[in-house]
């Protein structure tokens, strides 16, 4: 007989029951539900994610293999593939969305005193996306290629603790740059992104709203030199310039000044050109900020994307 709490049950203790049930009541999640509550659904899907289950059938088989342990996991309802499928299809998704946002807010407080390796007091976010392949037969609405389906997960990652603060799931064909339209910018914060997000009309919103961006310049960037600033070449810096974009459309989209930084990374033996709208912090810190963008690549790599399908 089990006398100690299972590891899964210990993990679920971090999810406050009172807050979860308040959300269930808010969205009438358990209305006319008799056996398989929203809490049971949440526990089943959390267990599936943590144990890398690949389908509803896999979830059912795994949980039913040890029926005497379900009570100790906290699951009171009967676990059946059809019941879980109906719950996933019909329960209000806002219950779990609001719960996720609440947990993210709670987790960010735990890391609020942590500091990055770089000398930066402001919040630093990384923006990127990853594509999740789907079965075209089961997900025809997510057509990505002729014989392939996919969705794209756009993520804003708080680099203090590597905690996602905003996620948007879109069709696989959607370009990354549209994610910038959905961001709620925080004045004074830094947003680091790759060249796929370069759209000067959208980037100018950062300047207008008092936020800062750091990205790599495209090779065909046309600009006019305005001023050069003193650098220490022993740090890898090659230039630190104030520039204005050149071109009729570019000037309309981004009429403000930009900072262009040329940096040589001795480790990779590569030269990088960064652009930013921040003129306050040192050029070397800007280069280090972009290097921190690699954290979001590691974030995606470390998490196995599991798609649950009804089979």
């Amino acid at each position: 007989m089990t006398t100690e709490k299972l590891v899964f049950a210990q993990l679920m203790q971090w999810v406050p029951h009172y807050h979860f049930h308040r959300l269930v009541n808010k969205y009438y999640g358990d209305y006319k539900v008799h056996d398989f509550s929203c809490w049971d659904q949440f526990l089943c899907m959390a267990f599936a994610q943590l144990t890398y289950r690949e389908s509803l059938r896999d979830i059912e088989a795994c949980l039913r293999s040890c029926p005497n342990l379900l009570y100790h996991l906290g699951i009171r309802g009967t676990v059946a593939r059809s019941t879980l499928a109906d719950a996933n299809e019909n329960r209000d998704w806002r219950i779990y969305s609001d719960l996720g946002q609440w947990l993210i807010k709670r987790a960010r407080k735990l890391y609020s005193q942590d500091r990055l390796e770089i000398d930066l007091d402001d919040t630093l976010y990384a923006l990127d996306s990853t594509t999740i392949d789907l079965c075209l037969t089961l997900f025809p609405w997510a057509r990505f290629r002729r014989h392939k389906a996919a969705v794209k997960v756009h993520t804003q990652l708080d680099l203090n603790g590597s905690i996602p603060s905003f996620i948007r799931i879109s069709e696989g064909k959607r370009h990354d740059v549209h994610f910038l339209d959905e961001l709620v910018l925080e004045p004074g914060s830094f947003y680091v992104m790759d060249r796929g997000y370069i759209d000067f009309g959208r980037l100018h919103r950062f300047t207008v709203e008092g936020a800062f961006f750091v990205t790599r310049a495209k090779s065909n960037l046309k600009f006019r030199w305005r001023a050069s600033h003193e650098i220490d070449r022993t740090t890898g810096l090659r230039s630190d310039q104030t520039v204005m974009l050149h071109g009729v459309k570019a000037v309309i989209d981004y009429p403000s000044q930009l900072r262009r930084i040329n940096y040589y990374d001795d480790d990779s033996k590569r030269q990088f050109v960064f652009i930013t709208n921040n003129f306050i912090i040192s050029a070397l810190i800007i280069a280090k900020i972009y290097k921190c963008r690699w954290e979001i690549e590691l974030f995606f790599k470390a998490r196995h994307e599991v798609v649950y399908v009804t089979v």
Side-chain angles (χ1 to χ4, degrees), residues 190-303:
F190 284 79
Y191 297 79
V192 57
M193 62 200 84
D194 62 23
R195 287 177 289 191
Y197 291 88
I198 291 183
D199 180 292
F200 288 110
R202 290 179 168 92
L203 290 179
H204 192 250
R205 184 167 72 93
F206 287 76
T207 302
V208 172
E209 298 187 18
F212 304 112
F213 65 83
V214 176
T215 185
R216 286 180 63 190
K218 292 184 177 181
S219 58
N220 61 350
L221 178 69
K222 296 181 179 180
F223 62 91
R224 290 178 177 174
W225 174 86
R226 284 290 181 266
S228 293
H229 310 285
E230 186 177 349
I231 59 170
D232 181 0
R233 294 183 64 87
T234 62
T235 62
L237 293 172
R238 294 296 178 262
S239 65
D240 180 8
Q241 304 170 328
T242 298
V243 302
M244 293 287 294
L245 294 180
H246 178 60
V248 177
K249 185 177 184 304
V251 170
I252 294 175
D253 289 343
Y254 200 99
S256 305
Q257 292 182 338
L258 280 170
R259 188 178 183 185
R260 181 179 180 272
I261 297 168
N262 195 320
Y263 175 78
Y264 179 79
D265 183 56
D266 195 52
D267 294 332
S268 62
K269 307 301 181 184
R270 294 179 59 191
Q271 188 160 301
F272 299 90
V273 178
F274 307 115
I275 53 173
T276 180
N277 62 338
N278 183 281
F279 293 85
I280 302 173
I281 63 177
S282 70
L284 186 59
I285 295 296
I286 294 293
K288 290 181 177 180
I289 284 177
Y290 190 84
K291 193 172 184 178
C292 290
R293 198 193 70 83
W294 181 245
E295 292 296 324
I296 197 169
E297 302 285 352
L298 298 178
F299 173 81
F300 288 138
K301 186 177 181 180
R303 283 147 182 84

Side-chain angles (χ1 to χ4, degrees), residues 96-109:
Y96 308 103
S97 175
D98 289 0
L99 175 66
Q101 290 298 323
W102 188 87
L103 290 173
I104 287 172
K105 185 178 180 180
R106 186 178 183 183
R108 291 182 69 184
K109 287 183 179 179

